[in-house]
Structure formats: structure tokens, C-alpha cells
Amino acid sequence: AFARGLDLLAALNRHGAATALTLARETGIARPTVYRLLETLRREGYVARSPSDERWVLRLKVRRLSDGFEDEEWIGAIAAPALY
């Protein structure tokens, strides 16, 4: 379930806003499961349902998922074999 929830967040990030049907089609996750996962993500503050339509949107809390990530780490991963 965790991996599927991350798949939903990634798909929603690509779209900006999307319906559950769109997310189900893109991720291959069954629509009832998409609804359950979205409801869990909504309760935790990561997504919200748009008040004007059926689309889901990301909330600011998703930014916490990248706290502590440093993009410069790729340099060491690439350079380490060459340095040895």
C-alpha cells in the first residue's frame, strides 16, 4: 500500500490536479483502491479534493517529503568509482 500511495503522489505531481479515474488509469491501481489511498493521504494532509470539481490536488505537506534531500549527493556517487 505504501508504494501505491507513493505512485499516486508521483502521478498527481505530474498532473498538478487529477481525478481518481485519471490516477487509476495512469498508475494501474484499481479505482476503489485509489479512492482509499487518496482518503488516507487526505486525512494525513498530503492531498485535498478540489472544492470546484472532482480533481485531487497536492497540499503543501508533500514538501516535507523532500526535507533533508541534497541534490549534490549525486556528484559523490558518480565520482567515487573514478576516484578509487
Side-chain angles (χ1 to χ4, degrees):
F2 181 71
R4 290 181 293 179
L6 291 175
D7 288 344
L8 281 180
L9 287 176
L12 197 50
N13 188 48
R14 285 189 295 275
H15 286 278
T19 64
L21 178 60
T22 299
L23 295 170
R25 287 179 177 161
E26 183 169 328
T27 61
I29 301 170
R31 194 165 33 164
T33 303
V34 167
Y35 281 113
R36 284 193 302 273
L37 290 169
L38 286 170
E39 184 55 32
T40 299
L41 290 168
R42 185 198 63 75
R43 279 194 314 269
E44 296 300 319
Y46 291 100
V47 301
R49 195 160 191 182
S50 173
S52 61
D53 56 24
E54 298 292 312
R55 297 184 309 160
W56 291 84
V57 296
L58 295 173
R59 302 277 319 265
L60 188 58
K61 190 172 181 180
V62 297
R63 288 193 180 264
R64 288 186 187 174
L65 298 174
S66 64
D67 285 351
F69 175 76
E70 295 182 16
D71 198 18
E72 293 78 28
E73 289 184 28
W74 67 272
I75 295 171
I78 292 173
L83 294 174
Y84 288 113

